[in-house]
Amino acid sequence: MSFDLHSGETLGVIGKNGVGKSTLLRVLAGIIAPDTGKVVVHRPGLRISLISIGAGFVPFLSGRENAVLNGMMLGATKKEILSRMDEIVAFSELNGFFDEPVNTYSTGMRARLGFSVAFHLNPDVILLDEVLGVGDEAFRKKSTAAMKERIRSDKTVVLVSHNVPLLREVCNRVIWIEDGITQAQGSVQDVLGA
């Protein structure tokens, strides 16, 4: 597959489960290297944040400790993370659980923690892996509204989602992947129609 991602653009990625959408995000985040080809970044030093369910948590560490660790893995300094910790804690709504080990968290609680950390570090590029469709209804609405606001503020976003109304609302372009190959890319209307 080959495509460009432009500054300030929201790019949707669609396809059946297992076709390579999450793998693509991991390649873009620099977590794994592509088997062939390359990723070319024209602005070195970009802070790229992959927001995915439970990505990178150490189970025996607390939510607070994982927030620091995750933030540092995203390229933030410890000082920067600590200066935003109150915002991260408040947005996550984990309250007393924030200082408990992450292995005591439910999947929804892990999603809250991961989203809150990545969102509040304000990266240059945000990679969203179906994270807006998880958690309880209230947090889902809150995180979706916050992400829509961030998208509208000219952030560069790659959004993997099966939520067609959301894709229509926030994306500038869409890429359709099947079996690790781009089937179509272009306007939201044309690609979703195909």
Side-chain angles (χ1 to χ4, degrees):
M1 74 180 54
S2 179
F3 63 92
D4 293 323
L5 177 63
H6 304 283
S7 181
E9 173 179 50
T10 299
L11 178 68
V13 181
I14 61 170
K16 295 177 187 172
N17 290 333
V19 299
K21 300 181 304 292
S22 295
T23 300
L24 171 64
L25 293 186
R26 287 184 180 90
V27 169
L28 293 174
I31 296 169
I32 59 174
D35 293 339
T36 60
K38 59 187 173 181
V39 176
V40 178
V41 179
H42 294 287
R43 271 186 46 208
L46 282 178
R47 186 184 291 179
I48 300 172
S49 177
L50 171 61
I51 303 178
S52 181
I53 305 301
F57 290 136
V58 179
F60 60 86
L61 294 179
S62 71
R64 185 177 307 276
E65 293 164 326
N66 270 289
V68 171
L69 182 61
N70 244 15
M72 291 174 74
M73 288 178 14
L74 294 173
T77 65
K78 185 175 182 181
K79 182 178 179 180
E80 182 181 1
I81 299 160
L82 293 175
S83 73
R84 296 192 175 146
M85 191 62 74
D86 289 344
E87 297 168 56
I88 293 168
V89 173
F91 192 90
S92 74
E93 299 176 353
L94 290 171
N95 305 321
F97 282 97
F98 203 80
D99 290 304
E100 296 297 320
V102 167
N103 63 4
T104 65
Y105 286 20
S106 67
T107 301
M109 292 167 77
R110 287 175 185 237
R112 285 172 177 257
L113 177 61
F115 184 89
S116 298
V117 171
F119 183 79
H120 285 90
L121 293 180
N122 201 19
D124 301 307
V125 179
I126 302 169
L127 308 173
L128 292 168
D129 193 3
E130 287 288 358
V131 76
L132 297 180
V134 299
D136 61 69
E137 185 66 24
F139 189 76
R140 194 166 40 243
K141 285 181 180 178
K142 176 181 175 177
S143 60
T144 299
M147 205 67 243
K148 285 180 184 176
E149 181 180 321
R150 184 67 54 87
I151 288 168
R152 289 185 190 109
S153 70
D154 293 330
K155 282 290 175 187
T156 304
V157 177
V158 179
L159 171 64
V160 166
S161 183
H162 295 285
N163 183 336
V164 172
L166 179 64
L167 291 165
R168 287 187 196 284
E169 182 181 349
V170 301
C171 292
N172 304 106
R173 291 186 304 126
V174 173
I175 294 177
W176 169 24
I177 301 172
E178 288 298 329
D179 300 320
I181 299 170
T182 302
Q183 300 297 312
Q185 62 178 302
S187 76
V188 176
Q189 181 177 340
D190 291 346
V191 176
L192 291 179

